[in-house]
Amino acid sequence: MLAISTRGFLWSDVETRTLLNIWGEQDIQTALDGNFRNSHVYRDVARRLGEMGFERTPEQCRVRIKSLKRQFLLAKEGNLRNNGQYHKICKFYDAMERILSSRPQIDPQELLDSGAVGDETMDGTEEEEDTDPPQHPYLESTGECSYPETQVKLEYPPIPIPVTVGNGTTVRQTSSSQSASGPSSSRPKWPKKRHADLPMDSLMERFLEQSAEAEQSFYQLEEQRLQVEDRRREAEHARELHMLQVLGQMFSSIATRNPVATATATTAMPPARNTMESTMQPGVPMSASSHVTRGRSCHLRVRSPQSQAEWPSYHTQPQSNPVIERSFSLGTAARTGMDDILPLVKNIVPPLTSKKHKGQDGRIGIIGGCQEYTGAPYFAAISALKVGADLSHVFCTKDAAIVIKSYSPELIVHPVLDSPNAVEEIEKWLPRLHSLVVGPGLGRDDKLLKNAKEVIEKSKARDIPIVIDADGLWLVAQQPSVIQGYQKGILTPNYMEFTRLYEAMHHEPLDSSDHQRSAMELSVAMGNLTVVLKGEEDLITDGNKVILCRQEGSGRRCGGQGDLLSGSLGVLAHWAYTSSADMTKSVNPSVVAAFGACSLTRQCNRQAFHKHGRATTTTDMIQEISSAFKKLFES
């Protein structure tokens, strides 16, 4: 699920140090060196920062890094390290020095580009002089204040000048430096610099204070602009709702004044053209003439009595007024669809009987887990067991196996993912597995991604559901064909991962104004795979219809919730595909399973937050799976 991003712009010390730790990682620095198009790098930085619990946009991360680099360079250029004053200029001097010491020297032109961003400005403290003094090359390129100038007095030797007087006598006069400067004395003198005698430390401190004030002012103005934009959108939303209400009243008055036409519309209209049924029934595509906006639909169609060709021969043509077929809903379509899907999830839950044997209710495989990420595969595997799977296997690297095994004795851990014959070792277990979850804790090592790709190909041949999450989605963004067109594939991206997938498939920026349309376009481009876009409202689509999961959660977004979702989705997908078509009522089993997993995750989040508040973690949510499952699907 997407975390609710804050609108604040000020960075706390903890958040800044977390940003520096991520920015200083070797892969980030390698990607930044020699690469002028680095927007994808800062998107990755923002994603990692979000996993640490701090929601920032890539642009905010980039601006913050630029500001820190400029402060560091100012402190270093001012030679203030010797007297201990550099911490006043750059609070994170030591961290920046550690990161930048291994990189090439900072190009001042890079800081010039950041000046247009408006994150820090400097007020001029000097007045113009008649001549431009020479400045340091770096200061000329960035527009920063220069060092204090030292006045130089030029002395000229006396020069004899011959002058002829009236009697023809030549007289030689000497011209000193004072007479030489005579012509220039008529020019207006500019006032001297007011801060020429101030020490460099004072100038630098004053400059930083003014920069901080300017930055604070910029952020306050930006915050006010966003608030105005929110109010404008709310007003627009209210106007649209009012307009739809007026239309509804108008149609009601028409039906009241003309009952004959209303009766004709209900009795003479063919079943295939009953727009109310095609709009409200789940699974039936809406008419092309309908218009949907923000969860409200309005459908109008007018038939004239003269157009006999539109009416089948077995229906009576109306005799007088035109027939107005109408169907409109004020925000109830999405909720109705949610209420219709929840019973289907209850249908696919297998009953607990004494006649079952071990493994019959689900054997789930998790592909992921490396030295850096051991928690994600554990969360996915233990969630699958808590939901109702009988066995849960984790295929991870050798370094991660002991750590994951120590978390829980219930898990079956295979340390084979980085072995030379990893695919053959995992393939031996595929006949025993009912579904596969690829991505939690997988990492982005080329060898691990290659092995994961081949395992997906082998699993597709066995026709089992495949849930792809986290770093597995990174693999799909690089090579979409690995899962494209596989109807039992389910993708569970957050907003950043969804953006990466959309741009990889369509080669154009994502339109963030209409998530439902973008999700359907991505699903169709991937061959009608089921896509679960996690966010404030989880959006589920198979390219034919969109279902919104509005189960109440909380504002707490801790790392690992997506792993709980993917693990439970693996179990529910197995149950959905082994159920009969009558139980799912011809609805896509992947959609039913995805809706159940999203509802369960949100309910666990709500219950854990009620007990722990801001201290809620994924471990607390896993403890709530039993009661949440019973409340949603067994009550």
Side-chain angles (χ1 to χ4, degrees), residues 264-303:
T264 306
T266 56
T267 58
M269 184 166 47
R273 297 190 178 188
N274 193 329
T275 56
M276 179 65 76
E277 293 180 359
S278 67
T279 303
M280 300 304 295
Q281 289 184 356
V284 180
M286 193 175 296
S287 174
S289 61
S290 63
H291 173 66
V292 179
T293 171
R294 296 191 180 181
R296 301 177 298 277
S297 61
C298 180
H299 185 124
L300 294 178
R301 190 158 58 206
V302 179
R303 291 203 181 111

Side-chain angles (χ1 to χ4, degrees), residues 454-509:
E454 296 184 14
V455 171
I456 292 175
E457 296 291 347
K458 301 290 184 182
S459 302
K460 287 163 56 178
R462 302 203 62 84
D463 195 35
I464 62 175
I466 302 175
V467 180
I468 301 183
D469 186 37
D471 291 322
L473 297 172
W474 172 272
L475 172 63
V476 174
Q478 308 302 317
Q479 305 179 51
S481 61
V482 69
I483 196 66
Q484 190 172 17
Y486 185 62
Q487 295 302 305
K488 292 186 179 181
I490 306 174
L491 308 181
T492 60
N494 58 28
Y495 183 75
M496 293 299 297
E497 294 163 341
F498 178 80
T499 303
R500 188 185 300 117
L501 286 171
Y502 185 91
E503 293 178 354
M505 295 302 300
H506 293 84
H507 305 288
E508 62 181 13

Side-chain angles (χ1 to χ4, degrees), residues 9 217-227:
F9 292 92
S217 176
F218 168 77
Y219 289 152
Q220 291 176 352
L221 292 175
E222 186 68 12
E223 186 74 21
Q224 294 174 2
R225 185 188 67 80
L226 292 175
Q227 292 175 357

Side-chain angles (χ1 to χ4, degrees), residues 46 59 64 113 185 193 218 326 370 378 460 468 494 596:
E59 179 64 16
R64 184 57 175 164
D113 297 338
S185 61
K193 296 181 180 180
F218 168 77
R326 67 188 185 276
C370 58
Y378 162 73
K460 287 163 56 178
I468 301 183
N494 58 28

Side-chain angles (χ1 to χ4, degrees), residues 49-86:
L49 192 63
E51 294 176 354
M52 301 298 291
F54 302 104
E55 289 299 326
R56 292 288 179 175
T57 65
E59 179 64 16
Q60 290 175 337
C61 295
R62 187 187 70 82
V63 170
R64 184 57 175 164
I65 290 297
K66 290 283 188 180
S67 177
L68 291 172
K69 288 167 64 177
R70 182 161 54 255
Q71 294 177 12
F72 169 77
L73 193 57
L74 288 173
K76 194 170 183 179
E77 288 289 332
N79 293 324
L80 300 178
R81 185 173 176 83
N82 295 332
N83 55 19
Q85 296 296 321
Y86 61 97

